[in-house]
Amino acid sequence: MAQYKFEGDFASFTDHQLEFISKVILEQDIKVKKAVFTVVGQPGDNFVGHVKRLNIEGENGNLNMFIKVAASSELARAATNADITFRNEHIMYTEILPKLVQLQKAAGVPEEDLLKHAKCYGSLYEPPNETLILEDLNDSGYKMLNKHETLSNKCVRGIIKNFALLHSLSHVFKNKYPEKYVQITDQMSEVWTTIFNEERFGGQAKFAEAEILSILDDDTYKDLIENKLSDFMYLLPKIIKQEGKKHLVIQQGDAWTNNFMFKIGDDSIETLMIDYQASNNGSPVVDLLFMMLNCTDHATRSKYYPEWMDYYHSEFDRSLSNFGLKASFIYPRDQLDVDLKRYAKAMMYLCITFNTILMRDPKEAAEIMDIMKNVAVDKIAAVLESQELATATRNRIRNKTMGIIDTYKQFGLL
């Protein structure tokens, strides 16, 4: 047990997790006087585990930490694939991210161009007590934006630059240390085909499709959804299986608004990725399409989509140039276009389904989380049918669905 008394909201933590947190705190040498856990965000901001802020007062100063722990119940762990997701993030924070930044520093990349990530104070991967302890980015002026509002062009460009850095440095890592790259990435797992498969998600997929069809008014949109929404469960594994290894990179993997933080100044916006639980060795376009469809609306995409893809590739090339590499050889622009179209349909249906959850208000999201974590998989669909959506939620889901389809029509992604 911890050597001093924790205060606040930590009932969901095990003794082993508290012991690990205490050990990490003691390593900071601030002579703790008080350590208080508080709730972070609203229900629905995090679907995988429990997230708390830890405010520490010490004789040698104060320190705030961001604590993420896995769910403990068997149902909740199964629903969130805790073993996989926390292993992915543990590997990213303890091995991959430090290695990528080390490569940049060794090449003399300026400080302002380094891949930025939250400082990791400690990571425990011992199922079922997985625990990740990060710096509290609020202290550095970063904040989370509203998941129900479209991100601005500047925010999107910040995310795209992060993707370009992560993906390009993956190639550098693979180029310099091929055996180490394979060794590390082979320990990571692709999350979405595990979560969304026929056995686990078949019933919910049919419910999600019926829910969306009941919200849509226009038959031209309904025709693209009816008897098709669950297709991504079959398309995505097939595409992944056929994917050649040459262009694979380390993905962020779960690019929705709450997995980024932004420091917004008068003339600039800094962006940080904060969640790597779905990270794995995969196609770069999964990050691009996932972010674009989940974080923006059709009006914004309609104006900036081609520019975003050009910007991604130019930043990808600029990062590679620090290591004497060229995008034209590593990942040509026309290959990016081919891959965007290859993944387009699967990602469209995945993101439409995903947004039936993301677009719920906090109360509805809390209900969904309780259902996911406390109801057996084969009974979830039946329980969901009893949930009544608020009018605002129905409107958000309708607008998201129609907007995604409109974007695909405009840019020939269907």
Side-chain angles (χ1 to χ4, degrees):
M1 192 60 188
Q3 296 178 14
Y4 49 86
K5 185 178 179 181
F6 285 117
E7 300 178 33
D9 188 347
F10 60 93
S12 58
F13 292 13
T14 67
D15 284 352
H16 190 42
Q17 287 167 334
L18 291 173
E19 287 171 1
F20 176 71
I21 294 167
S22 181
K23 173 179 173 292
V24 171
I25 292 172
L26 290 172
E27 290 171 352
Q28 310 313 309
D29 192 30
I30 59 174
K31 295 184 179 180
V32 180
K33 296 189 295 184
K34 187 175 183 181
V36 183
F37 287 98
T38 58
V39 175
V40 175
Q42 303 180 84
D45 285 346
N46 182 277
F47 289 95
V48 176
H50 304 287
V51 180
K52 310 289 183 183
R53 179 170 286 113
L54 181 59
N55 307 113
I56 306 166
E57 295 180 15
E59 294 179 16
N60 298 332
N62 300 333
L63 180 65
N64 296 323
M65 292 177 170
F66 187 83
I67 316 286
K68 184 188 294 188
V69 301
S72 56
S73 78
E74 289 187 15
L75 278 176
R77 289 184 64 82
T80 58
N81 289 276
D83 286 6
I84 292 174
T85 54
F86 274 83
R87 182 175 68 239
N88 287 346
E89 193 156 38
H90 172 78
I91 292 170
M92 285 297 293
Y93 273 109
T94 61
E95 296 191 64
I96 292 177
L97 292 173
K99 182 64 177 177
L100 299 184
V101 174
Q102 181 186 49
L103 289 170
Q104 286 183 296
K105 289 181 176 179
V109 174
E111 184 75 23
E112 63 271 18
D113 290 332
L114 296 179
L115 177 64
K116 295 179 177 61
H117 59 84
K119 177 180 179 179
C120 180
Y121 290 105
S123 180
L124 175 70
Y125 184 70
E126 294 180 8
N129 295 295
E130 300 96 334
T131 306
L132 180 68
I133 306 177
L134 303 173
E135 69 171 302
D136 186 345
L137 291 167
N138 285 274
D139 293 343
S140 301
Y142 287 90
K143 65 179 183 178
M144 191 176 291
L145 300 182
N146 189 335
K147 66 183 178 181
H148 292 158
E149 297 179 2
T150 187
L151 294 182
S152 68
N153 176 46
K154 283 187 177 181
C155 287
V156 171
R157 286 172 69 89
I159 293 173
I160 288 173
K161 183 173 182 177
N162 273 267
F163 285 158
L165 285 174
L166 178 63
H167 298 166
S168 61
L169 292 171
S170 300
H171 283 287
V172 174
F173 187 5
K174 189 179 351 181
N175 184 277
K176 287 182 174 291
Y177 307 101
E179 291 182 2
K180 184 66 174 176
Y181 183 90
V182 171
Q183 177 192 346
I184 291 178
T185 56
D186 277 356
Q187 298 175 56
M188 305 174 79
S189 300
E190 196 279 321
V191 168
W192 300 115
T193 57
T194 304
I195 293 176
F196 296 117
N197 59 56
E198 180 61 34
E199 181 180 355
R200 290 170 57 98
F201 192 70
Q204 292 104 293
K206 292 174 183 175
F207 169 76
E209 180 176 296
E211 185 174 70
I212 292 174
L213 289 173
S214 73
I215 291 171
L216 295 174
D217 304 314
D218 191 321
D219 286 343
T220 60
Y221 295 98
K222 287 185 176 183
D223 289 344
L224 288 168
I225 300 295
E226 192 166 14
N227 299 320
K228 298 183 182 71
L229 191 63
S230 62
D231 281 0
F232 73 86
M233 290 192 292
Y234 315 105
L235 289 170
L236 197 54
K238 184 177 179 181
I239 296 168
I240 291 171
K241 188 175 181 180
Q242 295 173 342
E243 185 81 68
K245 292 185 177 181
K246 180 180 179 182
H247 300 128
L248 298 185
V249 297
I250 297 164
Q251 303 170 338
Q252 189 271 343
D254 188 12
W256 64 292
T257 301
N258 283 22
N259 285 341
F260 302 97
M261 294 192 75
F262 305 89
K263 182 189 288 187
I264 302 176
D266 293 335
D267 301 312
S268 63
I269 296 177
E270 292 184 28
T271 309
L272 277 178
M273 296 181 280
I274 58 170
D275 193 301
Y276 295 94
Q277 294 188 329
S279 292
N280 71 103
N281 192 37
S283 172
V285 301
V286 170
D287 277 342
L288 293 169
L289 288 170
F290 210 93
M291 179 276 297
M292 184 178 73
L293 300 181
N294 289 323
C295 300
T296 67
D297 60 11
H298 172 61
T300 309
R301 294 189 293 266
S302 180
K303 185 175 182 180
Y304 294 111
Y305 170 69
E307 177 186 311
W308 288 341
M309 296 305 106
D310 288 340
Y311 180 64
Y312 167 81
H313 200 260
S314 66
E315 287 298 306
F316 180 85
D317 186 55
R318 189 166 79 92
S319 175
L320 287 175
S321 69
N322 292 314
F323 303 89
L325 301 173
K326 293 185 177 181
S328 57
F329 294 104
I330 300 293
Y331 192 50
R333 182 66 174 81
D334 59 354
Q335 184 65 49
L336 171 61
D337 291 332
V338 167
D339 289 346
L340 285 166
K341 290 190 176 182
R342 179 191 300 176
Y343 275 86
K345 184 178 289 186
M347 294 305 296
M348 178 179 81
Y349 288 130
L350 171 60
C351 291
I352 287 174
T353 303
F354 198 55
N355 274 285
T356 63
I357 300 174
L358 295 189
M359 292 299 103
R360 281 167 157 78
D361 65 27
K363 179 176 180 296
E364 294 166 328
E367 291 171 352
I368 286 285
M369 290 172 68
D370 287 341
I371 291 168
M372 288 173 59
K373 294 178 180 179
N374 298 294
V375 177
V377 171
D378 59 347
K379 294 181 174 60
I380 289 178
V383 176
L384 286 174
E385 290 180 14
S386 66
Q387 306 299 304
E388 185 76 24
L389 290 181
T391 300
T393 300
R394 292 172 64 86
N395 289 337
R396 284 193 294 265
I397 293 174
R398 179 191 296 113
N399 292 338
K400 268 287 185 181
T401 301
M402 293 174 64
I404 289 172
I405 292 171
D406 287 342
T407 295
Y408 270 53
K409 287 180 177 179
Q410 179 176 347
F411 295 106
L413 294 173
L414 286 172

